[in-house]
Amino acid sequence: IPRGSVAGDPRSLMDTHPEYTPYAVLKIPQERRLLVRAYANQQWRAIDLRRLDFGEVRAWPLEDGTLGIRDITAEGSADLSAEEWTIGGDGLLSETQER
């Protein structure tokens, strides 16, 4: 829920703030992984359940104080023309046409 799309109940002493969903979780049971992202930082972060010791208590912060923006300027390729990329960024057009 986008922040503020559902107003709080003015009659309630507890529910006075706009409602929103502060985090999202994707569960991948086959891989025993969880993917988590927060409201401000939309970058998915992985928790590998196979590597956890369930005998010890662990906690992870939902927000890390950033917006999750990563500079990818240097990762751009000068070898490809704009026509070679698919609109959705799913791969190269030439690869898509070969399938």
Side-chain angles (χ1 to χ4, degrees):
I1 299 173
R3 187 176 201 123
S5 65
V6 178
D9 185 350
R11 299 169 294 175
S12 170
L13 296 175
M14 301 298 287
D15 183 21
T16 58
H17 300 288
E19 185 177 321
Y20 72 105
T21 304
Y23 62 92
V25 176
L26 289 177
K27 300 174 186 177
I28 309 171
Q30 298 86 352
E31 297 178 17
R32 298 191 64 197
R33 287 193 322 151
L34 294 175
L35 300 180
V36 181
R37 71 178 183 189
Y39 188 83
N41 181 348
Q42 295 283 305
Q43 177 69 46
W44 288 105
R45 293 172 283 157
I47 299 172
D48 187 344
L49 299 175
R50 295 170 295 189
R51 296 180 15 212
L52 290 180
D53 176 1
F54 287 97
E56 92 181 35
V57 177
R58 302 285 304 263
W60 293 268
L62 283 177
E63 295 288 359
D64 62 2
T66 73
L67 295 178
I69 298 170
R70 185 171 62 101
D71 185 350
I72 61 168
T73 306
E75 296 174 24
S77 175
D79 299 338
L80 302 172
S81 68
E83 292 80 29
E84 291 180 283
W85 289 96
T86 62
I87 293 174
D90 295 331
L92 300 176
L93 276 176
S94 57
E95 292 173 357
T96 306
Q97 291 168 348
E98 290 173 6
R99 293 181 193 163

